[in-house]
Amino acid sequence: MSGCWLVLSGRVEVRADDQSVTFRGEGEMFGEQGLLHVLAGKNGARTADVKAIGPVRVFFIDAAFQERLTDPEKTIWVLMLADVVNMKLAQATQGRSELRISVAEQEHLLRRFSDDDALGLVKVAAAGQTPPIQPRKAIVFFSDIANFSVWSTGKDSGEVASHLHRLCSLQIDLIRKAGGQIDKLMGDGVMAYWFIDTAERERVEPAAVIRCATTIAEEIGRYVTDNGLDIGIRIGLHAGDVAFGDFGAEQRIAVTVLGATVNTAARYEQAKSPDLGQVRVSPVLRELAVEAGISPETFRGPVKANVKHGVELDVYSF
């Protein structure tokens, strides 16, 4: 039966496609668009369901009511219904505007926790879907502030936090400026990556990564000198195949890259040898960087360096 309802008391929920659309309370009307369609000779089929929220009193006005109206009364009635529709359209327009602002704010917030490719997967996971794990090729970056734990022992926690914040901020800003994606912060270390799984990326990114690492080492060195800190930085870089995706749990999104390439990049950062510079590079990445235009003279080595579990690696550095 076609008709509209006026809420006399209480509150109702309007639902469409099993999702809440809006609520109507005392003095508000719902179903008026269907009546307008009937009056215009069109199909007035129901497009939404209404559910009472607790005790509700409504006044029902059916299509027969319209048929009994005189022409002047019908004009007044239609104008009144049109006013209600226009008011709801205005409310909907405002709601869409507020929704756009809310979406933009959420986007800004998410970008503070994830970058580019990872952000896309976070959105998919947040929508309740399970993004597939992707096989990709990447350059992986690990850094660590050398001697930071020793230096910070006995220091004021506020002073330690202030320096750590600046040391991490310098790296994050420069990595993002160079097109890298921050994976995570690990105490006084940073993990990041650059995907190189297209010909264009493989042609450009290796050189960008080497320049980025060089700048980070210089900026950190300048900061350490200016503040009289007895610390330094180690950076490990490697390139290869990774698995990229959400490796979290049902209630925890954790988008990251995993695989042997990631573990090996960490080993390059941890490599121990008196002949190594601050930035340690795998032979694979050195070759890619030289092909991308970095001078071979940039790198020293390779040298055999010990890493964890007694494993040795060939390491280039600068």
Side-chain angles (χ1 to χ4, degrees), residues 220-242:
I220 295 294
R222 188 174 296 112
Y223 181 84
V224 166
T225 299
D226 291 346
N227 290 273
L229 306 178
D230 185 22
I231 57 178
I233 189 169
R234 293 192 306 267
I235 297 173
L237 296 166
H238 182 43
D241 296 328
V242 299

Side-chain angles (χ1 to χ4, degrees), residues 5-14 22-30 50-51 53 55-59 87-88 91:
W5 289 260
L6 175 66
V7 181
L8 301 179
S9 64
R11 189 174 176 83
V12 300
E13 178 186 17
V14 181
T22 189
F23 294 89
R24 298 296 176 203
E26 184 176 336
E28 294 185 298
M29 186 178 289
F30 58 90
V50 179
K51 177 182 178 182
I53 308 299
V56 174
R57 292 175 59 239
V58 295
F59 180 71
M87 178 188 68
K88 290 182 178 180
Q91 292 174 345

Side-chain angles (χ1 to χ4, degrees), residues 258-297:
L258 296 178
T261 295
V262 178
N263 298 334
T264 303
R267 299 292 181 259
Y268 276 98
E269 178 271 307
Q270 298 159 356
K272 293 178 174 61
S273 171
D275 299 321
L276 291 178
Q278 292 178 296
V279 182
R280 294 88 181 279
V281 181
S282 71
V284 173
L285 180 55
R286 177 189 178 276
E287 182 177 347
L288 290 174
V290 171
E291 291 176 357
I294 297 295
S295 170
E297 302 303 318

Side-chain angles (χ1 to χ4, degrees), residues 10 30 42 58 63 71 77-78 90 101 108 141 144 154 160 172 192 195 216 233 248 251-252 260 272 283:
F30 58 90
K42 300 178 181 179
V58 295
D71 287 343
W77 172 242
V78 170
I101 293 173
H108 178 71
F141 170 109
D144 185 70
V160 172
I172 290 169
F195 286 124
I216 288 174
I233 189 169
Q251 299 300 323
R252 175 75 177 185
K272 293 178 174 61

Side-chain angles (χ1 to χ4, degrees), residues 146-158:
N147 204 45
F148 188 81
S149 296
V150 174
W151 170 85
S152 62
T153 302
K155 297 288 194 305
D156 176 75
S157 59

